Every structure is written in C-alpha cells, then in structure tokens.
C-alpha cells in the first residue's frame, strides 16, 4: 500500500511502477516527466490502497484480456488516467471479491471449530470473548467496531445477566433487526452492490438468522448500558444482574 503523500520518494516509487506498466503493455510513446508525475499523483489520490505488485498484476491481466473491463478506445500507443481507472477499478472488484470470499471462509472455519467444541469449551470461549469486549469498553468507553456478539450473548445467558423479555419487547427487537437490515441493504445498493442486498429478506425467511440479529441487538444494548454507567459512575462498570433465565427469548 502506498503512503498517501506527495513526498519525492513515494512519487518516484509510483512513477517507476507506471514505467514498468507502460513497458508491460507495449506502449512506446512514453509520457514526459511532468505528465508521469501527474499520473503518479492520480494514483496516490484514488488508488493509494494498491501496491506496486497489484498495479503490475492488474495491467498484466488487462493486457492478457483476462480482466473484465468496459469497451474503451484509447488513442494508439498512449497512456492516460482513464485507462488507469478502468484497469484498477476492474481489478479492485476482483480483489474485494477475494477478500469477501476469504473472510467468509474464515468465518465458516470458525463456525466448524465451534460446532466441535464441548459444552464446557463453548462456555469458556464465550466467557473469553465477553472479557475481551468488556475490557475494550472499560478502557475506551466506546463500542468496538467488531466483537463476537453472539458469543457475548451466550456468556450473558450462561451467567443469567439478561432479563426475560415480554412479547412486546421481543417484537420491538424484531422490528429493530428488520430496520437495521434494510438500512444495510440500502447502503449496499447505493454503493452499487445490488446482488448483496438481501439481508432483510434473509431475516424474514430465516428465523435463526432473525433471532441471532435480535441477540446481537440485546448484547449491544447491554454494552451501551455499561458504557453509560462507566461514563456517569466511573466506580461502577457493571449492569445489574438478573436471575431470570431468558430461555424463551429468541
């Protein structure tokens, strides 16, 4: 990944990469020094998340016609920012897909590992995930970007720290889950990923997924209560316990 700056060292690194690209795709009409510098700044402005190897590989795919790109007519033997964007945007789609697939595979492997745990190991794992999350919250007094919310839910349930919900409260959580799923779907559509915009429908068709979404909301509410108490009463970072076992909740 490039450093997103205009230092001479970074500019030179990008320029050398672009010269290698130009040579790779067979362009002999080299841009002058000033134009090459502008191309380098363009890369740093819009493609700072790429590194040299990725840019070279993207243009290798393009030159071997293994990259799906829109039809584009460029002046013969020329190199410009439009060509740069077409190639790197197409490669970014491939890279993002691979990242999502890798994340999905990792999540599946975690789930398989959890499925093979004994009941005692599951309790230990849930307690560990809860402790990691609560330690972060106590230190920073804010929610982590990511946590294993369902493992935290399991720990809270094991320790009987959740109250039994009324039917009205359960219905409220379900509606919140639907609303948040719909919001995420709309964000995906807005970013051009319509094919991924199915979360709301999945919750409506899959009761297990819906209940898991509600459990995550309950856990987040629990931790928001902890944050509130830490902020307003620093000597007390715990929410009150409840001996009711919410077996009937979700």
């Amino acid at each position: 990944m490039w450093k997103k700056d205009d230092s001479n060292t970074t500019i030179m690194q990008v320029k050398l990469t672009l010269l290698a690209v130009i040579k790779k795709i067979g362009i002999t009409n080299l841009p002058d020094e000033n134009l090459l510098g502008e191309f380098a700044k363009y890369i740093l402005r819009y493609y700072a998340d790429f590194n040299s190897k990725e840019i070279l590989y993207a243009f290798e795919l393009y030159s071997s016609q293994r990259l799906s790109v829109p039809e584009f007519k460029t002046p013969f033997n020329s190199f410009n920012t439009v060509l740069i964007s077409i190639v790197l945007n197409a490669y970014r789609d491939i890279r993002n897909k691979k990242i999502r697939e890798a994340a999905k595979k990792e999540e599946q492997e975690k789930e398989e590992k959890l499925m093979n745990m004994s009941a005692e190991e599951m309790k230990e794992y849930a307690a560990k995930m809860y402790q990691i999350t609560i330690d972060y919250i106590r230190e920073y007094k804010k929610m982590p970007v990511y946590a294993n919310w369902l493992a935290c839910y399991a720990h809270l349930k094991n320790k009987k720290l959740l109250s039994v919900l009324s039917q009205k409260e359960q219905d409220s959580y379900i509606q919140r889950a639907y609303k948040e799923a719909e919001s995420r779907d709309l964000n995906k559509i807005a970013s051009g990923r319509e094919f991924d915009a199915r979360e709301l429908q999945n919750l409506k068709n899959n009761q297990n997924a819906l209940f898991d979404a509600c459990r995550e909301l309950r856990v987040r509410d629990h931790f928001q209560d902890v944050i509130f108490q830490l902020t307003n009463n620093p000597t007390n970072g715990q929410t009150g316990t409840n001996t009711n076992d919410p077996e009937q909740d979700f």
Side-chain angles (χ1 to χ4, degrees):
M1 184 178 295
W2 303 109
K3 292 181 179 179
K4 198 170 183 179
D5 59 40
D6 290 334
S7 69
N8 290 335
T9 300
T10 304
I11 291 289
M12 181 56 66
Q13 289 174 342
V14 182
K15 286 165 69 174
L16 290 173
T17 299
L18 291 176
L19 286 173
V21 164
I22 291 169
K23 180 179 179 181
K24 181 182 287 289
I25 61 179
I27 291 177
T28 56
N29 184 20
L30 298 179
D32 61 34
E33 187 69 20
N34 289 334
L35 188 55
L36 193 62
E38 290 303 311
F39 290 158
K41 290 178 182 178
Y42 184 81
I43 291 284
L44 292 174
R45 187 178 305 119
Y46 297 107
Y47 302 98
D49 55 316
F50 283 77
N51 58 39
S52 179
K53 288 182 179 179
E54 286 180 311
I55 291 175
L56 288 167
Y57 182 58
F59 276 94
E60 180 180 320
L61 293 177
Y62 171 73
S63 62
S64 63
Q65 298 185 349
R66 290 185 290 158
L67 194 65
S68 178
V69 297
E71 186 176 348
F72 169 65
K73 293 182 179 180
T74 181
F76 178 72
N77 209 21
S78 68
F79 188 78
N80 54 51
T81 55
V82 177
L83 179 61
I84 291 172
S85 290
I86 284 176
V87 173
L88 296 188
N89 286 344
Y91 180 73
R92 180 179 274 157
D93 288 341
I94 292 175
R95 185 180 64 175
N96 289 346
K97 182 179 179 181
K98 289 182 177 178
I99 291 172
R100 289 195 298 270
E101 288 175 349
K104 185 177 180 181
K105 182 180 178 181
E106 182 180 357
E107 193 63 29
Q108 288 174 339
E109 290 174 350
K110 286 182 180 178
E111 289 179 2
E112 290 173 3
K113 184 177 180 181
L114 289 175
M115 289 292 289
N116 294 325
M117 284 185 180
S118 66
E120 193 58 36
E121 287 173 331
M122 284 289 290
K123 284 185 179 181
E124 291 177 2
Y125 174 79
K128 180 180 179 181
M129 292 300 101
Y130 181 86
Q131 194 61 49
I132 289 172
T133 307
I134 198 68
D135 286 348
Y136 177 94
I137 287 172
R138 284 172 178 160
E139 181 173 357
Y140 299 104
K141 295 180 176 61
K142 65 179 183 180
M143 297 283 279
V145 175
Y146 172 81
N148 191 327
W149 308 114
L150 293 180
C152 291
Y153 175 89
H155 176 73
L156 290 169
K157 188 173 180 180
N158 290 335
K159 295 299 183 180
K160 299 184 179 181
L161 297 174
L162 296 172
S163 60
V164 176
L165 299 179
S166 67
Q167 187 60 54
K168 183 177 180 180
E169 289 171 323
Q170 291 188 52
D171 290 342
S172 177
Y173 272 111
I174 288 172
Q175 292 306 312
R176 281 177 60 189
Y178 283 155
K179 187 174 181 180
E180 291 196 7
E182 182 180 26
S183 178
R184 287 190 290 271
D185 281 346
L186 291 174
N187 287 336
K188 291 172 185 176
I189 292 172
S191 66
R193 291 184 289 151
E194 292 90 343
F195 60 91
D196 277 340
R198 301 174 183 149
E199 189 172 342
L200 177 59
Q201 197 60 44
N202 181 51
L203 293 190
K204 290 184 175 182
N205 294 336
N206 186 331
Q207 189 179 72
N208 289 334
L210 173 61
F211 286 180
D212 279 348
C214 292
R215 290 168 184 137
E216 288 190 18
L217 288 174
R218 291 199 71 184
V219 171
R220 289 175 179 271
D221 286 349
H222 167 83
F223 286 131
Q224 288 292 1
D225 287 343
V226 173
I227 292 170
F228 178 82
Q229 292 191 24
L230 285 169
T231 304
N232 294 277
N233 184 13
T235 61
N236 179 20
Q238 295 287 350
T239 55
T241 60
N242 191 304
T243 57
N244 294 321
D245 191 4
E247 287 294 341
Q248 305 304 316
D249 294 347
F250 305 119

